[in-house]
Amino acid sequence: MPGLMDPVRIDERGAASAEPQPLPEPQPRPRQVASDGKTNILIVGSGAREHALLWHLGRSSMAGEIYVAPGNGGTHDHNIGIDAADTVRLYEFARHNDCVTVVGPELPLALGVVDLFRSEGMPIFGPTQRQAKIEWSKSYSKALMRELAIPTAAFSVFTEPEPAIAYASGRGWNVAVKADGLADGKGVRVCSSEAEVRAAVADIMDRKVFGGAGNSIIVEDRIYGTELSVFALCDGIRAVYLGSAVDHKQLLDGGKGPNTGGMGAYSPAELSSDTMVRYVMSRIMDPVVARTEFSGFLYAGLMLTHDGPKVIEFNSRLGDPEAQVILPRLDFDLLPYLNLVSTGGRLGAGVRLNLAYEAACCVSMCSEGYPLSHKDNQGRRISGVDEANARTNTLVFHAGTRLEDGKPLTDGGRVLSVVGRGRSLDHAVREAYRSVDMISFKGEQHRTDIGRTRLRA
Ligand code: AMP
Ligand code: GLY
């Protein structure tokens, strides 16, 4: 296991970041955790991303007790019955159990869970509410990009429908209409006609399908190209490249059907050359960290256009299902890094992250009716998980599951993330699908082309 400050090999190298600038020590200084030298960990969230975090951190020789709030069927032995949005109870639990806390989803970050912990001197890994604004306010994020000259689509922000429609008309109706606030990843409509724009604006601003998130909207030029996500581990002054992934958001093969939380992903994105990664780190990640002192996982959703990479969105956390293909590729222990950053420490200048597997592929196995009407199709017995998990290159992470008499039942839209790892993407894809074939539950649906349709326009 490399030491924290040791330079280590990486095959997807990040660009060297700017020299660290001294920052004031966080006040008050977080107290030390676990007296036996082990670190107790509280993971916040309930998806397959959090199960993947549990799997990764659980292998660390430094890990003490690990808790998941609220967790799922796969994290059952670690679950505590605290909602991810209940920041005060999370704080009380972490304090009582001397935990370092790692936050998975965006909502607790937007609610200020990091601010609360920090103000009480408790260690937590993630951005403050102000830093997480890069995700919870798209108008802020776009303004920041404009200010920092980060490449992104031209845009304008509106608080009334008619000016928004007039602007879209001036852009030839080829626009993306976006709710400003958090909308569970569903607040974007990509349009190419007047009717689509009018419907999108009416849904978001008049019918308020995303509630207050639609009080203002962004109308931006539609851009074309291949999409990928890039991840960085940030300590407030430095961004270290953590890998790239491609997420398949549409329900059906070939990128058809409704948008979902993510039907699968693969890593690395095949277009993440060293040159591209260096460009993304220096032009996109480093400026954000330098301006906002961002601490936590920073996620840039990119479109590779004819004019180079452009940012579609920033997120202030690991992606789901991207985490399920990033974490299983790592050949080092994230825990010392998370520990260091969550107690106000800085990553060393030479930190480079090692990768064990060339590629990983994740297939989401989903409930019947997902994403539109799966609520009544729950409680179905899932078979084959242990058999698939026993395969060398497979990891099965749970999402919408619960246990009954020790056996997993479906309990949500996306049920399992089945991950294959391998020496090439083709290998990882084959591994993932062999394992998918071993698992079944009534009404199960999944895409059959994850990692197989490389170019998505
Ligand atoms: P977001 O929630 O901002 O990531 O957007 C969801 C999806 O909408 C993205 O993954 C893209 O496929 C698409 N999208 C967002 N903005 C644009 C844009 N300006 N041009 C084309 N597609 C976009
Ligand atoms: N995979 C998209 C997201 O986590 O926002």
Side-chain angles (χ1 to χ4, degrees), residues 136-372:
W136 58 260
S137 168
K138 286 192 191 290
S139 58
Y140 165 81
S141 174
K142 293 291 287 189
L144 187 69
M145 287 188 248
R146 181 181 274 167
E147 191 186 327
L148 299 176
I150 291 174
T152 190
F155 72 100
S156 205
V157 182
F158 300 93
T159 51
E160 297 293 336
E162 282 312 318
I165 290 165
Y167 177 83
S169 166
R171 310 305 287 184
W173 304 114
N174 276 316
V175 293
V177 177
K178 306 186 172 190
D180 194 359
L182 290 182
D184 260 343
K186 300 183 188 109
V188 174
R189 295 271 193 88
V190 181
C191 307
S192 53
S193 69
E194 177 175 355
E196 284 174 350
V197 170
R198 285 190 179 278
V201 172
D203 281 351
I204 299 173
M205 297 200 102
D206 299 333
R207 293 180 48 227
K208 289 265 186 285
V209 293
F210 306 114
N215 288 346
S216 62
I217 58 171
I218 288 82
V219 181
E220 69 176 36
D221 283 358
R222 186 167 175 181
I223 52 176
Y224 299 86
T226 305
E227 279 185 56
L228 76 157
S229 312
V230 172
F231 296 86
L233 176 68
C234 307
D235 67 358
I237 50 174
R238 186 181 298 282
V240 177
Y241 179 60
L242 200 57
S244 63
V246 173
D247 172 16
H248 296 262
K249 290 196 170 90
Q250 262 59 47
L251 179 71
L252 304 173
D253 284 4
K256 300 200 169 63
N259 216 9
T260 72
M263 296 301 291
Y266 62 90
S267 173
E270 64 278 18
L271 296 174
S272 61
S273 66
D274 280 2
T275 314
M276 208 277 284
V277 168
R278 248 178 241 120
Y279 176 88
V280 170
M281 294 306 291
S282 62
R283 283 290 309 277
I284 294 170
M285 298 298 203
D286 287 346
V288 168
V289 175
R291 174 57 59 92
T292 66
E293 298 175 3
F294 191 94
S295 178
F297 295 116
L298 184 58
Y299 162 152
L302 306 173
M303 183 85 86
L304 291 188
T305 71
H306 289 306
D307 301 333
K310 292 192 175 174
V311 176
I312 292 180
E313 63 165 353
F314 279 109
N315 291 321
S316 56
R317 53 180 170 80
L318 285 178
D320 183 343
E322 291 95 327
Q324 293 92 295
V325 288
I326 299 275
L327 296 172
R329 292 183 62 213
L330 303 180
D331 189 27
F332 69 98
D333 183 358
L334 258 182
L335 183 55
Y337 297 89
L338 303 189
N339 222 340
L340 188 72
V341 174
S342 65
T343 51
R346 304 295 181 204
L347 302 165
V351 172
R352 292 280 183 272
L353 308 178
N354 248 6
L355 296 170
Y357 285 83
E358 284 304 312
C361 169
C362 165
V363 180
S364 297
M365 300 184 75
C366 303
S367 287
E368 183 179 357
Y370 177 76
L372 305 172

Side-chain angles (χ1 to χ4, degrees), residues 20-85:
Q21 302 296 312
L23 283 181
E25 286 293 301
Q27 294 293 334
R29 181 90 188 149
R31 63 186 169 157
Q32 283 296 303
V33 290
S35 52
D36 59 359
K38 303 256 187 198
T39 301
N40 294 338
I41 305 162
L42 171 60
I43 298 170
V44 179
S46 60
R49 168 182 50 205
E50 287 72 30
H51 192 184
L53 276 167
L54 170 66
W55 169 81
H56 177 89
L57 298 175
R59 293 158 74 229
S60 170
S61 57
M62 287 175 57
E65 296 294 325
I66 311 187
Y67 308 95
V68 188
N72 57 42
T75 62
H76 182 266
D77 294 344
H78 303 262
N79 291 354
I80 57 169
I82 302 178
D83 191 88

Side-chain angles (χ1 to χ4, degrees), residues 4 6 20 103 108 127 130 136 167 182 205 232 269 324 359 370 373 384 386 391 412 415:
L4 266 189
D6 297 342
V103 185
R130 182 175 55 80
W136 58 260
Y167 177 83
L182 290 182
M205 297 200 102
Q324 293 92 295
Y370 177 76
S373 58
D386 290 343
R391 300 186 66 234
V415 175

